[in-house]
Amino acid sequence: MSDSSTLNLILEAGERRRAERRTFLRSAAGATMAAGSLSLLAACSDNNTSVPTPSPTPTPSPAASAQQDLDVLNFALNLEYLEAQFYVRAVYGQGLPDVATAGGNGQAGGAVTGGRQVTFTDPVVAQYAREIAADEAAHVNFLRSVLGPAAVAQPAINIDGGASGAFTAAARAAGVVGPTGTFDPYASDENFLLGAFIFEDVGVSAYKGASPLITNKTYLEAAAGILAAEAYHAGLVRTVLYAKGLQTPSLMLAQSAGKISDARDSLDGASDLDQGIVGSDATQSNIVPTDADGIAYSRTTGQVLNIVYLSKSALIGGGFFPSGINGNIRTSANSA
């Protein structure tokens, strides 16, 4: 069977498995918003109830809350487009089909620069890569289905490992390669894992940071499920990187991962939110990056965009998203 047929079968199977779940989410979310609207109408039509005086911090209207939920889910969808295109291309040598990247309004998805099939030499890494690719493609399909007509199109994405690619820019900034060096995440198993390491930790902190912004409990439960999946992916990538690092006396992989972690920290602000895959004395593993209470850290949407845009300044676009992401949440934070 060809890689193209295999990819199509994976996408179709994931679509079938999630069909009932998506139907439930849409029904439950619709019922929640309808109930809120009915409550609001009932309050407005009660002639015995005086118009309340607005408080300094009024409760958001159901419509505003619903729009905020859509904005957050679309923010997440942009990140899932990026991850899915990276993994699917690394595993199958081709990207998501056009039907999976178009906006709910029919707008065509943006172009993807770079990405190619990895010639995996470690069968374990190859199996993990296939599994994660299927999950990330399913996340895209799931969020697009929940959002329906409100789903944004895929923005332009740069996942190139050449001299002008986003991966090379990230690696140069981190000091993984020199000022004129290149970093190709498709060149080897180890490079692929380091490329994945850039994304997975950011995805976990992004979902955790965005969770308080979601008002609909049905959407929140779905986002928590994706967060859990991303955390499994991140833990897996960190574990394999650490294990492979032990096989290399120079600890080159651990050092590279630590440099990537430091670079993310430099981009997202003054707070120390990131951790490498080894402890401070480099003699023990650090598979789960947590605070003193064992709790994973969060990032704001602005901090996340700083990392994927590869910039400390508040702007729209750069790095892995040359023209910015799509939707209402687009601007990174000024953390200079």
Side-chain angles (χ1 to χ4, degrees):
M1 183 180 291
S2 68
D3 287 340
S4 178
S5 298
T6 301
L7 175 58
N8 288 334
L9 286 174
I10 288 174
L11 293 175
E12 290 171 4
E15 179 71 16
R16 288 194 300 271
R17 287 196 302 270
R18 290 160 178 81
E20 291 185 1
R21 178 65 177 159
R22 290 195 304 270
T23 300
F24 167 76
L25 280 168
R26 286 197 297 269
S27 300
T32 300
M33 288 187 284
S37 299
L38 288 174
S39 298
L40 182 62
L41 288 173
C44 293
S45 62
D46 187 348
N47 294 328
N48 296 321
T49 303
S50 60
V51 177
T53 302
S55 62
T57 55
T59 302
S61 68
S65 296
Q67 182 59 53
Q68 177 172 293
D69 287 348
L70 295 179
D71 290 343
V72 173
L73 293 180
N74 268 318
F75 175 79
L77 176 58
N78 280 276
L79 300 180
E80 296 295 348
Y81 281 136
L82 173 62
E83 288 188 301
Q85 292 288 16
F86 169 65
Y87 284 112
V88 169
R89 286 168 185 263
V91 172
Y92 297 105
Q94 58 183 307
L96 298 174
D98 291 344
V99 69
T101 62
N105 61 359
Q107 178 185 358
V112 178
T113 302
R116 72 176 192 276
Q117 192 168 19
V118 177
T119 303
F120 293 106
T121 57
D122 186 333
V124 173
V125 176
Q127 290 283 3
Y128 288 162
R130 280 192 284 272
E131 181 179 356
I132 297 177
D135 287 344
E136 299 299 353
H139 289 170
V140 169
N141 286 343
F142 174 76
L143 288 172
R144 285 170 52 83
S145 180
V146 171
L147 286 161
V152 297
Q154 173 185 280
I157 290 175
N158 184 320
I159 48 172
D160 189 41
S164 59
F167 275 111
T168 290
R172 287 176 180 175
V176 173
V177 299
T180 60
T182 59
F183 177 75
D184 182 0
Y186 314 101
S188 67
D189 294 41
E190 291 75 19
N191 278 19
F192 166 79
L193 290 167
L194 286 172
F197 178 69
I198 293 176
F199 294 146
E200 290 300 341
D201 280 3
V202 176
V204 173
S205 59
Y207 273 101
K208 183 171 181 289
S211 60
L213 304 176
I214 301 176
T215 60
N216 182 291
K217 291 184 178 180
T218 305
Y219 290 160
L220 179 59
E221 192 269 346
I226 298 179
L227 167 59
E230 297 292 351
Y232 279 120
H233 296 165
L236 184 152
V237 169
R238 294 172 73 94
T239 298
V240 179
L241 274 173
Y242 181 77
K244 284 186 172 294
L246 292 179
Q247 302 168 16
T248 307
S250 66
L251 295 178
M252 184 179 300
L253 281 178
Q255 291 171 357
S256 294
K259 290 177 180 179
I260 291 171
S261 172
D262 289 342
R264 290 189 303 224
D265 249 339
S266 71
L267 289 169
D268 66 17
S271 299
D272 187 6
L273 297 177
D274 221 301
Q275 298 170 20
I277 60 175
V278 296
S280 57
D281 59 0
T283 62
Q284 60 184 7
S285 67
N286 186 50
I287 301 305
V288 185
T290 62
D291 62 16
D293 297 316
I295 298 173
Y297 49 85
S298 304
R299 283 189 173 96
T300 66
T301 56
Q303 288 174 317
V304 171
L305 292 178
N306 278 21
I307 295 173
V308 296
Y309 289 170
L310 301 179
S311 174
K312 296 181 181 181
S313 303
L315 47 72
I316 298 175
F320 296 98
F321 294 104
S323 301
I325 66 172
N326 289 330
N328 293 326
I329 303 175
R330 303 187 65 209
T331 307
S332 60
N334 190 345
S335 59

